[in-house]
Amino acid sequence: MKYKSVFDIIGPVMIGPSSSHTAGAARIGRLARELFRREPKWVNVSFYGSFAKTYKGHGTDVAIIGGVLDYDTFDERIINSIETARKKGIKIRFREEEAITDHPNTARIHMGDDEGEIELVGISIGGGKVEIIELNGFELKLSGHHPAILVVHDDRFGAIAAVSNIIAKHELNIGHMDVSRKEKGKMALMTIEVDQPIDEAVLKELSSLSHITQVTKITD
């Protein structure tokens, strides 16, 4: 893993004792909130590995929920996030999982409301850095540290080229691009991290393409 500066090694400004278990957890929760686009009515969190063993003592539970409430890593409201969420009527459940995962700091967030739900898996890789490695059953690699576009589309010839052409037209430089599918010829997910801010016009053009189901923007 490459770090941009000494501050990435030291870790972010944050509430809590651990950049991996607290700041990283808050960022996973906040990415879940950004992908869901609204405040959920219920949140189920499963902790794996080191997260499962230490989440209460290291504040991983309050950090995850703080992120879901759209709090940043340094927001002092994180400390009381679970209480705040429950006062809002959000139902919360935590589970300690025994399954062995590829990374010790792994959390699965399943949350939703009457209109829909989302399920993702995130890992905290150190220094407050995270990756979302699964979204609604699709494998992906999303850091949350760069502007990104998530495109759900039919697995068809020319779909990737059509999306790439629009991104090139708007002079966005692609830093990372990944495509995941559950089954050949069915639904697929493009994850595209770029170096510049993403204008709404880009999303509108992408949404107008044939075989595109959903386009989501993630800000850094």
Side-chain angles (χ1 to χ4, degrees):
M1 172 59 63
K2 294 182 179 179
Y3 295 92
K4 294 180 181 179
S5 72
V6 66
F7 297 105
D8 289 327
I9 299 172
I10 295 172
V13 178
M14 64 180 187
I15 300 296
S18 169
S19 60
S20 292
H21 288 207
T22 312
R27 282 180 170 162
I28 292 171
R30 204 173 189 200
L31 279 169
R33 167 63 179 264
E34 192 162 1
L35 287 164
F36 193 58
R37 304 187 197 180
R38 57 190 182 274
E39 194 167 272
K41 288 188 175 181
W42 51 266
V43 184
N44 298 327
V45 183
S46 296
F47 292 118
Y48 300 82
S50 180
F51 269 2
K53 296 177 182 178
T54 64
Y55 76 90
K56 292 182 179 179
H58 285 187
T60 309
D61 48 357
V62 295
I64 286 266
I65 300 304
V68 169
L69 293 177
D70 205 25
Y71 299 163
D72 209 333
T73 57
F74 52 81
D75 196 319
E76 294 184 358
R77 292 177 296 173
I78 283 178
I79 298 170
N80 300 311
S81 63
I82 295 176
E83 180 182 354
T84 300
R86 285 176 172 155
K87 284 181 179 179
K88 287 172 172 271
I90 301 173
K91 297 179 180 179
I92 301 169
R93 184 175 66 175
F94 297 109
R95 294 183 59 179
E96 301 170 22
E97 303 287 355
E98 296 182 358
I100 298 174
T101 55
D102 292 335
H103 195 282
N105 299 328
T106 300
R108 179 181 296 273
I109 302 177
H110 185 200
M111 66 188 199
D113 57 17
D114 296 337
E115 298 179 17
E117 56 188 71
I118 189 174
E119 185 172 21
L120 62 81
V121 177
I123 59 174
S124 180
I125 58 179
K129 291 181 174 292
V130 304
E131 287 182 2
I132 303 303
I133 60 171
E134 183 181 314
L135 175 62
N136 293 337
F138 289 104
E139 294 181 0
L140 74 161
K141 184 178 180 181
L142 178 66
S143 70
H145 286 276
H146 304 280
I149 305 170
L150 274 62
V151 181
V152 180
H153 62 98
D154 293 336
D155 184 27
R156 296 287 188 272
F157 173 81
I160 296 174
V163 170
S164 299
N165 287 338
I166 289 177
I167 291 174
K169 172 187 170 183
H170 287 269
E171 300 183 346
L172 296 176
N173 187 52
I174 297 175
H176 174 80
M177 183 173 181
D178 186 52
V179 181
S180 174
R181 62 185 183 183
K182 299 178 184 178
E183 187 179 345
K184 182 179 178 181
K186 300 295 184 180
M187 200 70 72
L189 172 67
M190 260 183 269
T191 306
I192 309 162
E193 291 189 340
V194 297
D195 295 333
Q196 297 85 14
I198 302 163
D199 191 88
E200 290 298 321
V202 179
L203 307 182
K204 187 176 181 179
E205 282 193 52
L206 292 174
S207 298
S208 69
L209 292 173
S210 60
H211 305 304
I212 299 297
T213 303
Q214 181 179 339
V215 179
T216 303
K217 177 176 71 172
I218 302 294
T219 56
D220 62 343

